[in-house]
Amino acid sequence: METFDPAELPELLKLYYRRLFPYAQYYRWLNYGGVIKNYFQHREFSFTLKDDIYIRYQSFNNQSDLEKEMQKMNPYKIDIGAVYSHRPNQHNTVKLGAFQAQEKELVFDIDMTDYDDVRRCCSSADICSKCWTLMTMAIRIIDRALKEDFGFKHRLWVYSGRRGVHCWVCDESVRKLSSAVRSGIVEYLSLVKGGQDVKKKVHLSEKIHPFVRKSINIINKYFEEYALVNQDILGNKESCDKILALAPENILCQDHFLFFQNHHSSLQRWEHLKKVAKSLNNIKSDKYGPWLEWEIMLQYCFPRLDINVSKGINHLLKSPFSVHPKTGRISVPIDLQKVDQFDPFTVPTISSICHELDAISTTEEEKGENKAESIIKHRTRDYKKTSLAPYVKVFEQFLENLDKSRKGELLRKSDLQKDF
């Protein structure tokens, strides 16, 4: 992967927005087949420009207007907001209180920095292959619940471009949900609770909800390799003490503690901890296991959601196909069929795809390709010539499913109206 030089970003963005950004698919998504008049026109876009100049309440008449403005402004970052009661770019002309957010996709933002208390390999904005498994587990756990527990069909997962993932739930009924309902959904999906000062952030009772059991089943597939081998969560006394602090008082007597310390790997120590919890469970009236084991697994591996991003209809979220200005990586859709294979370090950077395009353009010029033909091809196929192509294909498949669902719903309504 080519190294990214932030100093090149202004010129690279010009080329990216002129020849590589998938405008047609992007407009097709946010227009939703023209379900409601002015749906796209009432959508808020926010642009962050060079030197952190931030412009909110942008809105556009159509795909052409959006293209022209993006190519003129060359935003460093694009955020998508709600569909409002009036055009966002006219919000200052609307009577106070009349300008209201009406609809928006249900969105989730999962950021690796929220796991800093439980990952040992990196901190802050840094990520590596050892901790990226947290995002893999998060996608699997949240997506399963959205699909099976709530019945949501149209879920678009996107890499943020640096250290996290976003999810856009786009079903028509979901876009109309109130803030209260959104809060309820994200509350259902949240198990890790408490700030930095709270040691024990997961509390289970004897009656384990099916959502928790299914989440544990997913974590189980990754836990040994991720937590015990790669993160080595019981690798030294300090990390052992952190985990023992999650256990009920006196669950490990001094003998048990010494024996625990005498094991020489996280794998051995974890097995011993499970045995101790199980033996105490057999002799105590209080039930310790497997709840203790599960509470630790959940605290170290369960998704950590930003509740404010999900519950607020007017909350902005970074757009798919944005460029991250620090890494240069594109915010690409993630193929749910290949979540385990997704590697953030192989995601194309704006440098790499622009250089790929330059090399192709040079070859075409050398072949003496007709200039008029070349311009037409550039408009429709340039991204297909670069490593961005497979990610746009994932996006197109998502749009196809949206279209099929919409047509099916129209047919169903049509049949109902004829049913006398």
Side-chain angles (χ1 to χ4, degrees):
M1 182 60 67
E2 290 190 41
T3 55
F4 168 67
D5 181 1
E8 294 181 351
L9 191 56
E11 287 304 312
L12 293 171
L13 284 169
K14 283 180 188 176
L15 184 58
Y16 179 63
Y17 290 132
R18 200 176 72 228
R19 292 182 56 183
L20 288 164
F21 193 90
Y23 292 105
Q25 295 90 332
Y26 191 77
Y27 176 74
R28 182 178 158 200
W29 169 39
L30 294 173
N31 191 47
Y32 288 104
V35 282
I36 300 171
K37 189 184 177 185
N38 296 329
Y39 200 83
F40 181 79
Q41 290 84 351
H42 285 203
R43 170 80 69 168
E44 180 190 1
F45 294 84
S46 164
F47 291 168
T48 304
L49 309 181
K50 190 180 178 183
D51 300 323
D52 289 329
I53 297 168
Y54 187 55
I55 307 172
R56 277 200 72 172
Y57 302 117
Q58 303 268 93
S59 57
F60 308 99
N61 288 322
N62 48 42
Q63 179 186 328
S64 176
D65 280 2
L66 174 68
E67 283 189 47
K68 286 173 186 171
E69 196 64 17
M70 283 173 62
Q71 289 169 18
K72 176 185 163 189
M73 307 280 275
N74 294 313
Y76 273 48
K77 183 183 171 213
I78 307 160
D79 287 294
I80 299 174
V83 176
Y84 281 86
S85 52
H86 302 76
R87 294 190 181 210
N89 61 2
Q90 298 172 358
H91 74 284
N92 285 327
T93 67
V94 178
K95 191 169 71 176
L96 194 67
F99 182 67
Q100 297 288 333
Q102 294 186 319
E103 288 193 21
K104 190 183 167 221
E105 298 79 7
L106 173 63
V107 294
F108 298 94
D109 182 4
I110 307 173
D111 194 315
M112 194 75 85
T113 53
D114 293 327
Y115 295 82
D116 277 359
D117 62 316
V118 291
R119 59 177 181 147
R120 297 184 66 202
C121 52
C122 304
S123 64
S124 190
D126 294 332
I127 62 167
C128 71
S129 57
K130 286 184 177 181
C131 56
W132 186 256
T133 307
L134 285 166
M135 294 296 110
T136 304
M137 288 188 278
I139 293 171
R140 290 215 173 276
I141 289 167
I142 300 299
D143 193 72
R144 186 216 63 78
L146 293 173
K147 179 183 177 183
E148 297 176 15
D149 300 358
F150 291 99
F152 300 154
K153 292 180 181 176
H154 304 291
R155 308 168 314 278
L156 177 69
W157 284 91
V158 181
Y159 170 50
S160 72
R162 191 177 196 185
R163 59 176 183 251
V165 293
H166 303 151
C167 178
W168 300 75
V169 186
C170 302
D171 303 43
E172 186 175 359
S173 58
V174 176
R175 302 198 306 265
K176 301 175 191 296
L177 293 176
S178 67
S179 290
V181 174
R182 291 166 196 257
S183 296
I185 292 169
V186 77
E187 183 67 27
Y188 174 91
L189 296 169
S190 299
L191 290 177
V192 181
K193 297 175 181 178
Q196 288 183 340
D197 298 332
V198 179
K199 286 183 182 177
K200 188 176 174 68
K201 295 182 170 72
V202 178
H203 296 270
L204 300 178
S205 62
E206 279 191 60
K207 292 182 180 178
I208 302 294
H209 193 281
F211 168 62
V212 176
R213 288 186 183 275
K214 288 174 181 177
S215 299
I216 285 289
N217 288 342
I218 291 170
I219 291 170
N220 257 325
K221 294 172 186 174
Y222 299 90
F223 188 76
E224 183 176 311
E225 185 178 353
Y226 163 71
L228 303 178
V229 177
N230 289 337
Q231 292 294 320
D232 199 17
I233 62 169
L234 293 164
N236 57 35
K237 186 177 185 306
E238 185 185 355
S239 55
C240 289
D241 288 346
K242 270 181 76 174
I243 285 183
L244 291 173
L246 305 180
E249 251 181 89
N250 301 324
I251 185 173
L252 297 172
C253 67
Q254 190 63 24
D255 288 343
H256 282 129
F257 181 72
L258 289 170
F259 184 51
F260 184 71
Q261 289 294 80
N262 287 337
H263 288 77
H264 300 298
S265 74
S266 284
L267 283 161
Q268 292 174 341
R269 289 166 181 165
W270 179 250
E271 286 305 312
H272 179 65
L273 178 59
K274 289 197 293 184
K275 283 178 188 172
V276 171
K278 189 175 180 182
S279 65
L280 284 167
N281 186 39
N282 292 333
I283 60 173
K284 298 268 186 181
S285 58
D286 294 331
K287 300 290 184 184
Y288 286 127
W291 293 273
L292 170 60
E293 174 191 338
W294 288 356
E295 283 172 345
I296 294 168
M297 290 170 73
L298 291 166
Q299 180 150 331
Y300 274 72
C301 301
F302 191 82
R304 301 183 175 204
L305 304 173
D306 186 333
I307 190 168
N308 292 318
V309 171
S310 300
K311 73 179 183 182
I313 300 174
N314 61 348
H315 203 291
L316 294 157
L317 186 64
K318 180 193 284 183
S319 168
F321 299 104
S322 273
V323 178
H324 197 290
K326 295 273 176 39
T327 64
R329 293 195 191 105
I330 313 294
S331 296
V332 292
I334 297 170
D335 186 347
L336 285 173
Q337 304 302 315
K338 300 176 182 176
V339 173
D340 290 317
Q341 287 80 52
F342 183 82
D343 180 355
F345 300 106
T346 62
V347 166
T349 64
I350 189 171
S351 308
S352 66
I353 57 173
C354 286
H355 292 162
E356 285 170 32
L357 191 60
D358 279 344
I360 292 159
S361 298
T362 302
T363 305
E364 287 172 352
E365 281 176 21
E366 286 170 355
K367 287 179 180 176
E369 192 174 90
N370 180 288
K371 194 170 183 182
E373 285 179 11
S374 181
I375 289 168
I376 293 166
K377 282 184 181 177
H378 289 337
R379 282 181 184 160
T380 56
R381 298 179 185 167
D382 273 348
Y383 71 83
K384 291 184 179 178
K385 301 171 186 175
T386 73
S387 48
L388 190 62
Y391 300 100
V392 179
K393 193 172 181 181
V394 172
F395 190 47
E396 286 174 338
Q397 186 56 59
F398 166 75
L399 296 176
E400 286 298 317
N401 292 334
L402 263 177
D403 282 348
K404 283 178 190 172
S405 180
R406 189 162 48 239
K407 286 169 186 172
E409 185 63 21
L410 289 171
L411 279 171
R412 190 186 70 81
K413 286 179 180 174
S414 175
D415 287 344
L416 284 173
Q417 285 169 358
K418 292 174 186 172
D419 189 13
F420 296 106

